[in-house]
């Protein structure tokens, strides 16, 4: 979604007035007074792994244990990835005689509590999946509709730290009616559980979900291809002003490493998700990822942009054909910026300081976070020659 120069300038003026009024402090955000979910979670976007994109329903407890092991041994845990999230298909088709959810005996014979203990022993957190309907999307498990209090207490007793809550088989009622019930149940469960709402952006949850969930899907499901990824990036960008600490826009999980895009396309995918303060949930098999995938996912400088305490979602600020500039403020008056060539041929992209909210006389040091190199004393604009579908990502520090 292209942003007009006038509206963009107005947005940045409002932001920097807010920023300066509170002294540029770490907690500064024009969204800090939103009515937030009262669980105190999600001060930065969640970062971890989810089973669905690569494995779909083919999950079992040995896979989850091995994934937790690989998150630690690969170094991903050390750079911040902490959630190991089960998606659909972890449970039996039917509840037990007391109405409780039951882990699937053939694939999770040791139970979820045992698995949670193992994941926690690695210094990681366990996430689980349910649905705000009568069944989950796979039709292989019961949903939580009508069982919210019971299921929330079950998840709490198992040591679950994160709930992804889907939107299939909803009986025709609005998510605005169904999601608050689980939100309240989680708050009453006796455990702090991150609430990830997945109603696919159907009723513009960015406008109402901050008091209900810690994140909310703004789009349909991502696919492992360029057209899907770029379309979702644009859809999510529309809601940038609604995100902030405690509640994040969610354009769905990462596809990096699953094989459907080139290295440069995955670099762009990861860069835009990081800048947009999206949850960074790895969707590939971390047990067997190649060196290039690991290097992309473990770039600490990119992750730090995503996890910046200011918590303002970066957005598209300039579009000229297929050439785009995305930008957002960081703590200590820095700015994160992505130059992105979405076209089919090599092109030069220029970001003028006026595009990103800086005075033309401002002198900055520009840190290229993919090359891990710094250009000093740049004034007025920054340009880069980019191959098709490639990007450059910078952190600009005013001198």
């Amino acid at each position: 979604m292209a942003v007009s120069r006038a509206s963009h300038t107005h947005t940045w003026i409002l932001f920097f007035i807010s920023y300066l009024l509170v002294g540029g402090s770490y907690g500064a955000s024009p969204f800090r007074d939103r009515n937030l979910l009262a669980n105190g979670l999600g001060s930065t976007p969640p970062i971890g792994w989810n089973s669905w994109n690569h494995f779909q329903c083919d999950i079992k407890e040995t896979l989850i244990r091995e994934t937790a092991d690989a998150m630690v041994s690969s170094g991903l845990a050390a750079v911040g990835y902490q959630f190991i999230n089960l998606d659909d298909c972890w449970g039996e088709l039917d509840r037990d005689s007391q109405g409780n959810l039951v882990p699937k005996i053939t694939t999770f014979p040791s139970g979820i509590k045992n698995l949670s203990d193992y994941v926690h022993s690695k210094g990681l957190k366990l996430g689980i999946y349910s649905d705000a309907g009568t069944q989950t999307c796979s039709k292989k498990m019961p949903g939580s509709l009508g069982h919210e209090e019971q299921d929330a207490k079950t998840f709490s007793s198992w040591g679950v730290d994160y709930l992804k809550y889907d939107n299939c088989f909803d009986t025709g009622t609005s998510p605005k009616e169904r999601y608050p019930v689980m939100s309240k149940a989680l708050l009453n469960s006796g455990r702090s559980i991150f609430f990830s709402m997945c109603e696919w952006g159907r009723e513009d949850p960015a406008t109402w979900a901050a008091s209900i969930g810690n994140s909310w899907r703004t789009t349909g499901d991502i696919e492992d291809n360029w057209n899907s990824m770029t379309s979702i990036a644009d859809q999510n960008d529309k809601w940038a002003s609604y995100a902030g600490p405690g509640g994040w826009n969610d354009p769905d999980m990462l596809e990096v490493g699953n094989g459907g895009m080139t290295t440069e396309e995955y670099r762009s995918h990861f860069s835009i998700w990081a800048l947009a303060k999206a949850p960074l949930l790895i969707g590939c098999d971390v047990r067997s990822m190649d060196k290039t995938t690991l290097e992309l996912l473990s770039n600490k400088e990119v992750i730090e942009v995503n996890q910046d305490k200011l918590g303002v979602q970066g957005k598209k600020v300039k579009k000229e054909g297929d050439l785009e500039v995305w930008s957002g403020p960081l703590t200590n008056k820095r700015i994160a910026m992505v130059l992105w060539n979405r076209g089919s041929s090599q092109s030069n992209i220029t970001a003028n300081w006026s595009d990103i909210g800086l005075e033309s006389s401002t002198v900055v040091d520009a840190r290229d976070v993919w090359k891990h190199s710094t250009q000093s004393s740049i004034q007025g604009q920054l340009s880069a020659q980019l191959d098709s579908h490639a990007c450059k990502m910078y952190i600009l520090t005013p001198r």
Side-chain angles (χ1 to χ4, degrees), residues 176-195:
K176 293 179 183 179
E177 297 176 32
R178 289 175 286 113
Y179 279 79
V181 182
M182 179 56 84
S183 177
K184 183 178 179 182
L186 291 174
L187 289 174
N188 293 335
S189 72
R191 185 174 180 84
S192 296
I193 298 175
F194 186 102
F195 190 30

Side-chain angles (χ1 to χ4, degrees), residues 198-215:
C198 184
E199 62 88 88
W200 318 313
R202 289 285 177 88
E203 294 193 23
D204 300 340
T207 63
W208 53 267
S211 63
I212 299 167
N214 298 112
S215 67

Side-chain angles (χ1 to χ4, degrees), residues 105-291:
I105 190 64
T106 56
T107 50
F108 292 88
S110 303
I112 303 300
K113 177 62 168 70
N114 187 284
L115 186 61
S116 172
D117 289 345
Y118 185 83
V119 169
H120 291 155
S121 77
K122 297 289 180 177
L124 302 170
K125 297 180 178 180
L126 185 78
I128 209 163
Y129 167 98
S130 190
D131 187 282
T134 56
Q135 286 183 298
T136 63
C137 295
S138 69
K139 301 183 184 180
K140 296 180 183 294
M141 288 178 54
S144 290
L145 188 64
H147 293 266
E148 292 89 351
E149 285 286 340
Q150 184 173 16
D151 291 354
K153 285 183 168 55
T154 295
F155 299 147
S156 176
S157 72
W158 288 345
V160 166
D161 303 293
Y162 182 114
L163 174 64
K164 176 182 174 182
Y165 204 45
D166 222 335
N167 197 34
C168 289
F169 304 103
D170 59 18
T171 69
T173 54
S174 168
K176 293 179 183 179
E177 297 176 32
R178 289 175 286 113
Y179 279 79
V181 182
M182 179 56 84
S183 177
K184 183 178 179 182
L186 291 174
L187 289 174
N188 293 335
S189 72
R191 185 174 180 84
S192 296
I193 298 175
F194 186 102
F195 190 30
S196 170
M197 298 171 51
C198 184
E199 62 88 88
W200 318 313
R202 289 285 177 88
E203 294 193 23
D204 300 340
T207 63
W208 53 267
S211 63
I212 299 167
N214 298 112
S215 67
W216 44 84
R217 279 278 292 280
T218 53
T219 71
D221 290 356
I222 194 170
E223 297 176 8
D224 186 19
N225 63 70
W226 171 258
N227 288 337
S228 173
M229 183 271 288
T230 54
S231 172
I232 280 177
D234 291 340
Q235 293 171 54
N236 185 65
D237 185 52
K238 176 181 179 180
W239 307 107
S241 65
Y242 293 90
W248 306 100
N249 291 317
D250 178 6
D252 206 7
M253 299 166 289
L254 295 167
E255 292 283 8
V256 178
N258 279 328
M261 288 183 260
T262 67
T263 297
E264 288 309 317
E265 289 170 347
Y266 281 141
R267 192 190 316 276
S268 295
H269 178 20
F270 193 59
S271 298
I272 293 296
W273 262 236
L275 182 83
K277 302 299 188 289
L280 297 182
L281 297 175
I282 297 170
C284 69
D285 186 349
V286 298
R287 304 171 304 169
S288 59
M289 59 186 166
D290 60 25
K291 181 181 178 182

